[in-house]
Amino acid sequence: MADAIFGNVREYTVSELAGAVKRVIEDEFGFVRVRGELGRVTQAGSGHVYLDLKDERAVLSGVIWKGNAARLRFRPEQGMEVIAVGRMSTFPGQSRYQLVIDSLEPAGVGALMALLEERKKKLAAEGLFAPERKRALPYLPETIGVVTSPSGAVIRDILHRLRERCPRHVLVWPTLVQGKGAETQIAAAIEGFNRLAPDGPVPRPDVLIVARGGGSLEDLWCFNEEIVARAAAASAIPIISAVGHETDTTLIDFVADLRAPTPSAAAEKAVPMRSELITELLNKQRRLTSVLARAFDARRAALVSAARGLGRPEDVIGPAAQRLDRAGELLRAGLRARRDAAAAGFLRAAGRFGPQILAAASAARRARLAEAVARLRHGAARLVERRWRRLSGERLSAAALRRQYAHGEKSLAMAGARLAALAPRLLDAPSRRLGSADQLLSALSHERVLERGFALVRGADGRLIARAKNALPGEAVALVFADGARGAVIDGGDEKPLSGGTRAAAKSRPGARRPAPAQKSLFD
């Protein structure tokens, strides 16, 4: 009976039924707009984003292909309420339907504000907003770094205000300030300024200004991303945040060391007024001049008072000058008296040193010298005579010389006997080594190899031909055997295996062409 009821029902394969369901769903829901809360959000390595849209009663799977995911203006996160626009389709591999999303937008400002408040609480709990983390800005920075778009009015306003107040060296790091990828470029710019070496070719900024003009919450959303806030918190260079108008507030405003309501205000807070600096410098100069004048007056008055207590210099120096003059007169008189006494003593001594006194002293000295010379000659003669008798009586006699000769001859004979006994032992070991080396040399000689049936092949120029490719067709060669040499000519035919160990790449045959007479000396 069942066959009678269902016999006319069409039979599908699994793939046919899955394809039919896919066509029905895509035709019926070719364009849909869905509002819901994001559940699971996963970004695959291919770039596709897989997510779940849910409400209190159902869950809908969704996918954003790589091209559409790159155009998203914000990063999907779990818990956000969004509006997805796309088309329904199925995934036959898992028997489920899914929403292929073409565009994804936050569901109103309320959702973004809720996400912003959640991030703010998270970063505040980590201490990134703590007042003790804020650093004071340098009073007069040498270099100012600006992170903003190079084509907007923001950079022109900052440069114009800096020129008016106090011109400084400005480095601009161009970035996107809106849209996909802007947060990554802003964080990279902050980190890049911090990586500059203080003494490098590009000067490291003393203060950074992160600036953007006004806009909606969606336009300023890149400054609410965690990557930007954490990069600003990790910066070693003080940061001034100047994002949007005075009423706009982003996460980087809470992390930065100082918040400015506008980019122009950020330039004003970064440097002081040049006129104020000049006025302050002139005031300090006048104050310094006044203080120095008062100090000089006080020192001058103290010096005058001290001079009154000391009295006149003439009264202090006069008595000492008189004593000096008196001492000088006494010194001159004493020197004259001493000179006169010395001259009188010299005259008295000169009278006692006449020529006769010097002649008598010289004669006495000459007599003592002659007596000493006579004694020296007598003693030297006696010493020479005593030494000659000793030598002629003992060491230079014929008997003494014969004894010395006999002793030397005996010693020489003993040394010769010892050398004759020792020579065989000294020469035995070198003789054995020499014999072994001679046997080894003979075994390794190429002549032994030739005796075993091998031959050497030498070219016309005497070179050794070791390989067939080095032998030219028609070339005259010499075959060196163990008992002599023979001439041969290289065959130009195809290479064939040769039998016998004595034949190489060249061979000799009865009809071979003989070498030229000029080459005959090679085979002698």
Side-chain angles (χ1 to χ4, degrees):
M1 184 175 182
D3 294 338
I5 296 175
F6 302 107
N8 295 327
V9 178
R10 179 183 174 183
E11 183 178 299
Y12 290 94
T13 65
V14 175
S15 298
E16 289 174 347
L17 184 58
V21 173
K22 180 180 179 69
R23 287 191 296 273
V24 170
I25 292 178
E26 289 180 350
D27 292 342
E28 184 67 23
F29 302 98
F31 179 82
V32 292
R33 192 167 183 264
V34 183
R35 183 187 185 110
E37 180 183 340
L38 290 178
R40 172 189 58 87
V41 179
T42 304
Q43 184 166 6
S46 60
H48 308 318
V49 178
Y50 300 94
L51 51 84
D52 291 336
L53 287 172
K54 63 180 182 177
D55 57 13
E56 62 274 7
R57 290 189 300 273
V59 178
L60 175 63
S61 297
V63 59
I64 307 175
W65 302 128
K66 178 180 179 181
N68 293 328
R71 290 192 293 270
L72 293 179
R73 295 188 300 171
F74 69 102
R75 181 179 299 173
E77 295 184 7
Q78 186 175 356
M80 292 181 61
E81 187 176 2
V82 297
I83 296 176
V85 178
R87 55 187 174 84
M88 291 298 299
S89 182
T90 64
F91 182 53
Q94 294 184 358
S95 298
R96 69 177 186 180
Y97 60 89
Q98 62 185 3
L99 177 63
V100 179
I101 301 173
D102 295 329
S103 66
L104 191 68
E105 298 291 340
V109 179
L112 291 179
M113 291 301 296
L115 179 60
L116 178 60
E117 289 299 325
E118 182 181 351
R119 287 180 179 175
K120 188 186 300 183
K121 291 179 182 178
K122 176 183 177 182
L123 297 180
E126 296 180 12
L128 269 63
F129 301 163
E132 56 269 16
R133 293 187 67 259
K134 309 294 183 181
R135 291 161 295 184
L137 302 180
Y139 179 70
L140 186 61
E142 291 291 334
T143 304
I144 299 175
V146 180
V147 179
T148 188
S149 173
S151 59
V154 171
I155 186 61
R156 292 195 297 270
D157 293 342
I158 292 175
L159 295 177
H160 176 69
R161 190 52 57 92
L162 288 176
R163 282 194 299 269
E164 286 182 346
R165 291 180 63 84
C166 185
R168 297 282 88 187
H169 182 63
V170 178
L171 293 178
V172 180
W173 196 298
T175 63
L176 293 176
V177 292
Q178 180 180 343
K180 181 67 175 178
E183 65 276 6
T184 304
Q185 293 188 16
I186 295 170
I190 296 175
E191 295 171 357
F193 273 131
N194 279 270
R195 283 196 296 267
L196 292 176
D199 53 351
V202 178
R204 183 181 183 183
D206 301 311
V207 66
L208 298 181
I209 298 177
V210 181
R212 187 204 187 278
S216 63
L217 179 61
E218 291 83 358
D219 295 337
L220 303 179
W221 189 252
C222 60
F223 295 95
N224 290 319
E225 296 290 350
E226 282 192 36
I227 186 174
V228 175
R230 295 189 184 278
S235 174
I237 305 174
I239 294 180
I240 301 175
S241 173
V243 178
H245 298 302
E246 187 170 0
T247 57
D248 298 324
T249 303
T250 58
L251 281 182
I252 195 173
D253 295 333
F254 298 98
V255 180
D257 298 286
L258 182 65
R259 178 183 181 269
T262 61
S264 300
E268 293 178 0
K269 293 178 180 296
V271 295
M273 280 291 292
R274 180 171 53 182
S275 58
E276 294 177 358
L277 288 176
I278 296 174
T279 303
E280 183 68 19
L281 182 61
L282 293 176
N283 290 336
K284 291 184 181 298
Q285 183 179 3
R286 284 193 294 268
R287 289 176 57 188
L288 178 61
T289 303
S290 177
V291 169
L292 290 176
R294 289 197 298 270
F296 285 146
D297 292 340
R299 297 294 190 278
R300 188 181 297 108
L303 181 60
V304 172
S305 299
R308 292 195 191 100
L310 291 176
R312 297 176 60 192
E314 294 83 358
D315 297 338
V316 178
I317 301 175
Q322 287 182 345
R323 290 195 297 273
L324 180 60
D325 294 340
R326 178 61 179 166
E329 294 177 356
L330 294 176
L331 179 59
R332 285 192 293 272
L335 289 175
R336 284 194 296 269
R338 181 61 179 168
R339 183 195 60 191
D340 295 341
F346 178 75
L347 292 175
R348 288 194 297 272
R352 294 196 298 270
F353 289 97
Q356 61 280 8
I357 296 177
L358 294 177
S362 177
R365 296 292 180 83
R366 191 178 293 108
R368 287 197 297 272
L369 179 60
E371 184 178 357
V373 169
R375 289 199 301 272
L376 179 60
R377 288 177 177 175
H378 181 68
R382 294 179 57 189
L383 178 61
V384 169
E385 183 180 0
R386 187 166 58 252
R387 293 294 178 84
W388 173 253
R389 286 198 302 268
R390 184 183 303 171
L391 288 174
S392 60
E394 298 177 359
R395 298 182 181 180
L396 297 181
S397 61
L401 292 175
R402 281 193 296 273
R403 286 195 301 271
Q404 292 179 3
Y405 177 76
H407 178 73
E409 186 177 8
K410 183 179 180 181
S411 299
L412 182 60
M414 293 175 63
R418 286 197 302 270
L419 180 59
L422 187 60
R425 293 200 301 271
L426 293 176
L427 296 177
D428 183 52
S431 298
R432 288 196 301 271
R433 288 198 297 271
L434 183 59
S436 300
D438 182 64
Q439 294 176 2
L440 179 60
L441 179 61
S442 177
L444 296 178
S445 175
H446 73 283
E447 296 176 354
R448 292 293 185 91
V449 177
L450 296 179
E451 290 177 356
R452 293 201 297 270
F454 293 93
L456 294 177
V457 182
R458 294 188 180 275
D461 53 357
R463 74 182 189 281
L464 179 65
I465 301 176
R467 300 186 182 277
K469 64 180 180 179
N470 296 332
L472 302 178
E475 180 182 3
V477 298
L479 301 179
V480 181
F481 299 94
D483 58 347
R486 291 290 185 273
V489 178
I490 300 298
D491 187 4
D494 294 337
E495 183 178 337
K496 297 179 180 179
L498 299 178
S499 61
T502 60
R503 288 189 294 173
K507 61 182 180 178
S508 176
R509 61 181 184 269
R513 180 168 52 91
R514 296 186 177 276
Q519 301 172 343
K520 186 175 182 181
S521 60
L522 297 174
F523 313 130
D524 291 342

